[in-house]
Short mmCIF file of all heavy atoms in Angstrom, two decimals:
data_model
loop_
_atom_site.label_atom_id
_atom_site.label_comp_id
_atom_site.label_asym_id
_atom_site.label_seq_id
_atom_site.Cartn_x
_atom_site.Cartn_y
_atom_site.Cartn_z
N GLY C 1 111.69 129.36 112.21
CA GLY C 1 110.36 128.80 111.99
C GLY C 1 110.40 127.55 111.14
O GLY C 1 111.43 126.89 110.99
N VAL C 2 109.25 127.19 110.57
CA VAL C 2 109.13 125.98 109.76
C VAL C 2 108.79 126.38 108.34
O VAL C 2 107.75 126.99 108.09
CB VAL C 2 108.04 125.06 110.34
CG1 VAL C 2 107.91 123.80 109.50
CG2 VAL C 2 108.36 124.68 111.77
N GLY C 3 109.66 126.04 107.42
CA GLY C 3 109.44 126.35 106.01
C GLY C 3 108.91 125.13 105.27
O GLY C 3 108.66 124.07 105.84
N PRO C 4 108.75 125.25 103.95
CA PRO C 4 108.21 124.14 103.16
C PRO C 4 109.12 122.92 103.16
O PRO C 4 108.65 121.77 103.17
CB PRO C 4 108.06 124.71 101.75
CG PRO C 4 108.63 126.08 101.76
CD PRO C 4 108.94 126.45 103.17
N PHE C 5 110.43 123.13 103.15
CA PHE C 5 111.35 121.99 103.16
C PHE C 5 111.21 121.20 104.46
O PHE C 5 111.19 119.96 104.44
CB PHE C 5 112.79 122.48 102.98
CG PHE C 5 113.79 121.35 102.98
CD1 PHE C 5 113.88 120.48 101.91
CD2 PHE C 5 114.62 121.16 104.07
CE1 PHE C 5 114.79 119.44 101.91
CE2 PHE C 5 115.53 120.12 104.10
CZ PHE C 5 115.62 119.26 103.01
N GLU C 6 111.12 121.90 105.59
CA GLU C 6 110.99 121.22 106.88
C GLU C 6 109.67 120.45 106.95
O GLU C 6 109.61 119.32 107.47
CB GLU C 6 111.07 122.22 108.04
CG GLU C 6 112.46 122.76 108.29
CD GLU C 6 112.77 123.99 107.45
OE1 GLU C 6 111.89 124.43 106.68
OE2 GLU C 6 113.90 124.50 107.56
N MET C 7 108.60 121.05 106.43
CA MET C 7 107.30 120.37 106.43
C MET C 7 107.35 119.10 105.60
O MET C 7 106.80 118.07 105.97
CB MET C 7 106.21 121.31 105.89
CG MET C 7 105.91 122.47 106.81
SD MET C 7 105.24 121.94 108.39
CE MET C 7 103.57 121.62 107.91
N MET C 8 108.05 119.15 104.45
CA MET C 8 108.19 117.97 103.61
C MET C 8 108.98 116.88 104.34
O MET C 8 108.64 115.70 104.26
CB MET C 8 108.87 118.36 102.29
CG MET C 8 108.40 117.55 101.13
SD MET C 8 108.90 118.14 99.49
CE MET C 8 110.31 119.14 99.70
N MET C 9 110.02 117.28 105.06
CA MET C 9 110.83 116.30 105.80
C MET C 9 110.00 115.64 106.90
O MET C 9 110.09 114.44 107.11
CB MET C 9 112.06 116.98 106.42
CG MET C 9 113.11 117.38 105.39
SD MET C 9 113.71 115.98 104.42
CE MET C 9 114.53 115.05 105.69
N PHE C 10 109.18 116.45 107.61
CA PHE C 10 108.31 115.87 108.64
C PHE C 10 107.33 114.88 108.01
O PHE C 10 107.05 113.82 108.57
CB PHE C 10 107.53 116.96 109.39
CG PHE C 10 108.38 117.72 110.37
CD1 PHE C 10 108.40 119.11 110.33
CD2 PHE C 10 109.13 117.07 111.33
CE1 PHE C 10 109.17 119.82 111.24
CE2 PHE C 10 109.90 117.78 112.24
CZ PHE C 10 109.92 119.15 112.19
N GLY C 11 106.81 115.21 106.85
CA GLY C 11 105.89 114.31 106.16
C GLY C 11 106.55 113.00 105.78
O GLY C 11 105.98 111.92 105.94
N VAL C 12 107.77 113.06 105.25
CA VAL C 12 108.50 111.85 104.86
C VAL C 12 108.79 110.99 106.09
O VAL C 12 108.62 109.76 106.08
CB VAL C 12 109.79 112.22 104.11
CG1 VAL C 12 110.70 111.01 103.94
CG2 VAL C 12 109.46 112.84 102.76
N ILE C 13 109.22 111.63 107.18
CA ILE C 13 109.52 110.88 108.41
C ILE C 13 108.25 110.23 108.94
O ILE C 13 108.25 109.05 109.35
CB ILE C 13 110.16 111.81 109.46
CG1 ILE C 13 111.56 112.21 109.00
CG2 ILE C 13 110.22 111.13 110.82
CD1 ILE C 13 112.21 113.28 109.85
N ALA C 14 107.12 110.96 108.93
CA ALA C 14 105.86 110.40 109.40
C ALA C 14 105.43 109.23 108.52
O ALA C 14 104.96 108.20 109.02
CB ALA C 14 104.78 111.48 109.41
N LEU C 15 105.61 109.33 107.21
CA LEU C 15 105.26 108.25 106.29
C LEU C 15 106.12 107.02 106.55
O LEU C 15 105.62 105.89 106.55
CB LEU C 15 105.42 108.72 104.84
CG LEU C 15 104.95 107.77 103.75
CD1 LEU C 15 103.45 107.51 103.92
CD2 LEU C 15 105.22 108.37 102.39
N LEU C 16 107.41 107.23 106.82
CA LEU C 16 108.29 106.10 107.10
C LEU C 16 107.93 105.43 108.43
O LEU C 16 107.98 104.20 108.56
CB LEU C 16 109.74 106.55 107.13
CG LEU C 16 110.36 106.93 105.78
CD1 LEU C 16 111.75 107.50 105.99
CD2 LEU C 16 110.42 105.71 104.87
N LEU C 17 107.58 106.23 109.43
CA LEU C 17 107.28 105.65 110.74
C LEU C 17 105.94 104.96 110.79
O LEU C 17 105.81 103.87 111.35
CB LEU C 17 107.32 106.75 111.82
CG LEU C 17 108.70 107.31 112.19
CD1 LEU C 17 108.54 108.44 113.19
CD2 LEU C 17 109.56 106.21 112.78
N PHE C 18 104.90 105.58 110.19
CA PHE C 18 103.56 105.06 110.36
C PHE C 18 103.03 104.33 109.13
O PHE C 18 102.11 103.52 109.24
CB PHE C 18 102.60 106.20 110.74
CG PHE C 18 102.97 106.85 112.04
CD1 PHE C 18 103.50 108.11 112.07
CD2 PHE C 18 102.81 106.17 113.24
CE1 PHE C 18 103.85 108.72 113.26
CE2 PHE C 18 103.15 106.76 114.44
CZ PHE C 18 103.68 108.04 114.46
N GLY C 19 103.56 104.59 107.96
CA GLY C 19 103.17 103.86 106.75
C GLY C 19 101.69 103.91 106.46
O GLY C 19 101.10 104.98 106.35
N LYS C 20 101.06 102.74 106.38
CA LYS C 20 99.64 102.65 106.02
C LYS C 20 98.73 103.15 107.14
O LYS C 20 97.57 103.45 106.89
CB LYS C 20 99.28 101.21 105.66
CG LYS C 20 99.94 100.73 104.40
CD LYS C 20 99.52 99.34 104.07
CE LYS C 20 100.21 98.88 102.79
NZ LYS C 20 99.80 97.56 102.40
N ARG C 21 99.25 103.21 108.34
CA ARG C 21 98.43 103.66 109.47
C ARG C 21 98.41 105.18 109.61
O ARG C 21 97.79 105.71 110.52
CB ARG C 21 98.96 103.08 110.78
CG ARG C 21 98.84 101.58 110.86
CD ARG C 21 99.24 101.05 112.19
NE ARG C 21 100.02 102.03 112.97
CZ ARG C 21 100.61 101.78 114.09
NH1 ARG C 21 100.56 100.58 114.60
NH2 ARG C 21 101.29 102.70 114.74
N LEU C 22 99.07 105.90 108.71
CA LEU C 22 99.16 107.36 108.82
C LEU C 22 97.79 108.03 108.85
O LEU C 22 97.58 108.92 109.70
CB LEU C 22 100.02 107.93 107.68
CG LEU C 22 100.36 109.40 107.77
CD1 LEU C 22 101.13 109.68 109.07
CD2 LEU C 22 101.19 109.84 106.59
N PRO C 23 96.81 107.68 108.02
CA PRO C 23 95.48 108.32 108.13
C PRO C 23 94.82 108.06 109.49
O PRO C 23 94.20 108.95 110.05
CB PRO C 23 94.67 107.68 107.00
CG PRO C 23 95.67 107.19 106.03
CD PRO C 23 96.88 106.81 106.84
N GLU C 24 95.01 106.86 110.00
CA GLU C 24 94.43 106.53 111.31
C GLU C 24 95.09 107.36 112.42
O GLU C 24 94.41 107.87 113.32
CB GLU C 24 94.61 105.04 111.57
CG GLU C 24 94.03 104.55 112.87
CD GLU C 24 94.34 103.08 113.08
OE1 GLU C 24 94.38 102.32 112.10
OE2 GLU C 24 94.54 102.71 114.25
#
């Protein structure tokens, strides 16, 4: 399954890919 560490990694990758456009 997906634990807290994996969720944090997905968040970091999403932040790196989308940056300021992440809320949009």
